[in-house]
Amino acid sequence: LSPSTTTVTIAAGGIAQHTINLAAADAVPSGKSGAAAPGPGVVKLDAFVVGMTSMDGSALAINEQRFAAEIKNVVSAQEFGQVAEGNVAELLKFMPGVSIDYGGGNARNISIGGAPAGNVPVTVGGFDLSSAGVGGTGRATALDFVSINNVSRVEVLHSPTPESPGAALAGSVNMVPRSAFERARAELQGSVFLMTRDNDRHFNKTPGPTHEARRKVHPGFDFSYSVPVNKRFGFTLSANHATQFSPQDFVQLTWRGAGSVTNGAAFPNTTPDKPYLSDFAVRDDLKETGRTSFGASVDYRLTDRDRLSFAFQATQNYVDFFARTLTFTIGRVLPGNFSPTFTHGDRGTGAGNVTTLNNAINRTNRTTMPTFTWRHTGPVWKAEGGLGFSRSTNSDRDIDFGFFNNMTAVRSNLTIAFDDIFYLRPGRITVADGVTGAPLDPYRLDTKTVANTTSNPRDSSDRRQTAYVNAARDFTWRVPFTLKAGLDVRVSERDTRGMSTTFTHTGTESAAQFIDRDFSQRIPPFGFPKIDWVSNTQLYAHSVAAPTHFTVDSNAQYRSTVNNSKYAEETISSAFLRGDAAFL
């Protein structure tokens, strides 16, 4: 446009209105690019060259969210940055309207708009993702078994539409696999790293989490490789591996008159402003988690308007979990022998006890998911169809790896007192024999006997099958109008099996015979001294060598097998017709 200069006179305290009209230049000024076209006001520029034909992940996510026909948030996995352990839920927890439920320290289930996890479908490329090992026979999907490294971007849909999965109550989550056609040229991204916790940065082996010493600093890697071979064919490869050590320190305080009831006998009634501590537990809980994943995709353009996509993902996770808990139970309190800062057990009855409880498991989870998609993007018609299959298996094992799942050792007939109680723990714990009143060291095993131990193997599987097809047509009337119709079938099948066997110890051995000498040298959390812990491995070896020292209730074992065998199958079929009009 040609420059325009004008003068406006404004009186003091007054208002002046003036219209400035700018007209197109009849010719391009000297030194500028372009040439004037015939006629006034028309300028023809030189050729405009597009240097790139693809966008990065964040631009793709922004444009997908911008032009979506529903309310949804889209985030590029690349934009979020490094997630060393690879859990996709670590990205989702930062998205609006989303809350994450944690299990065993891992971000696991997702809730949208307050809807429970079982009513929030989780899909990969629009296909249902299987999830075994958590949730029983329900619909909930555990996200900690999915690797973010195989995902291009994550979509959170907040407003269910006619084409949403039938199980969606308030929204759904879709993870978009990587595609070679998102890049204009081949691209390789990768990283190597070390994972450690700031409270255990030793490169040498230290006690835990299992009966054997292990390293707490672990190497890992991830990479993604996208190759658009030509305009019609491309492929991607991605993989990651990470091992993580996770201490999960834990204390539990049982307050009578607050979280727990009083009965007027063993536990005197009190007022809400004067609760007292009757039980205290400290747990040294250690876990090692390993994740290995692989992803691949192949894209082929049949025509300029039709594209075929094949994607495959496989993930394997393992968890070595070992929780060791020491519990002090007073058992009986006399009136007047308590306040919020102290609790003294009844010396006349010896109703208190000290219990050592071990809980260990080896969990292995495997998930595989192949999918096939066809897309047609025409000027008038748009269509899409796909077939997907996802299978997940989970195995919990104990004696197969040479240790019991659960073990209890106890010393009863004690008088226990808590003093200097503050928000975290009693500052001082005194334990004495309930008969003689002689002081007793509650952290030693030679004062305890093994009560019982348990084996608790579990197997579960989850199969998901998805098939869908839809088509949309644009009508360029005075009011732009789009009509879309489709069919969708989703089949899920969950099978869980397990057996719990309790081995009651009838031998006369002291629990000290099965001491875990290495782990007992570890300094526990929360300021406690060294604690003698039973080795679940040594106890299992003893049960094999001396089976007569243990008894098994076969009836209870059989009933547990029946009760833990569950099977559920569900088919959700839906058809939809949707119309969209743009009036403004």
Side-chain angles (χ1 to χ4, degrees), residues 262-337:
T262 58
N263 54 27
F267 299 106
N269 296 326
T270 185
T271 54
D273 61 331
K274 194 178 179 181
Y276 57 95
L277 187 66
S278 64
D279 302 77
F280 173 78
V282 57
R283 186 168 73 196
D284 196 356
D285 188 349
L286 304 178
K287 182 178 67 172
E288 183 181 284
T289 305
R291 180 196 307 272
T292 302
S293 71
F294 171 78
S297 67
V298 176
D299 295 279
Y300 180 72
R301 285 194 173 103
L302 288 172
T303 68
D304 292 339
R305 300 293 184 180
D306 295 274
R307 191 178 90 182
L308 301 178
S309 298
F310 173 79
F312 176 80
Q313 294 194 37
T315 305
Q316 175 172 304
N317 300 270
Y318 82 87
V319 177
D320 279 331
F321 167 83
F322 210 129
R324 300 165 173 88
T325 307
L326 182 66
T327 303
F328 300 86
T329 303
I330 286 184
R332 182 180 178 85
V333 181
L334 294 178
N337 280 353

Side-chain angles (χ1 to χ4, degrees), residues 476-519:
T476 56
W477 299 342
R478 178 176 298 180
V479 176
F481 181 75
T482 300
L483 196 63
K484 185 176 183 179
L487 300 172
D488 186 285
V489 179
R490 298 172 187 266
V491 179
S492 63
E493 179 184 344
R494 283 193 169 187
D495 191 0
T496 64
R497 301 171 186 269
M499 178 180 67
S500 180
T501 305
T502 299
F503 299 80
T504 302
H505 183 239
T506 58
T508 59
E509 301 91 349
S510 166
Q513 179 176 331
F514 313 109
I515 186 172
D516 188 336
R517 297 191 181 279
D518 288 337
F519 197 86

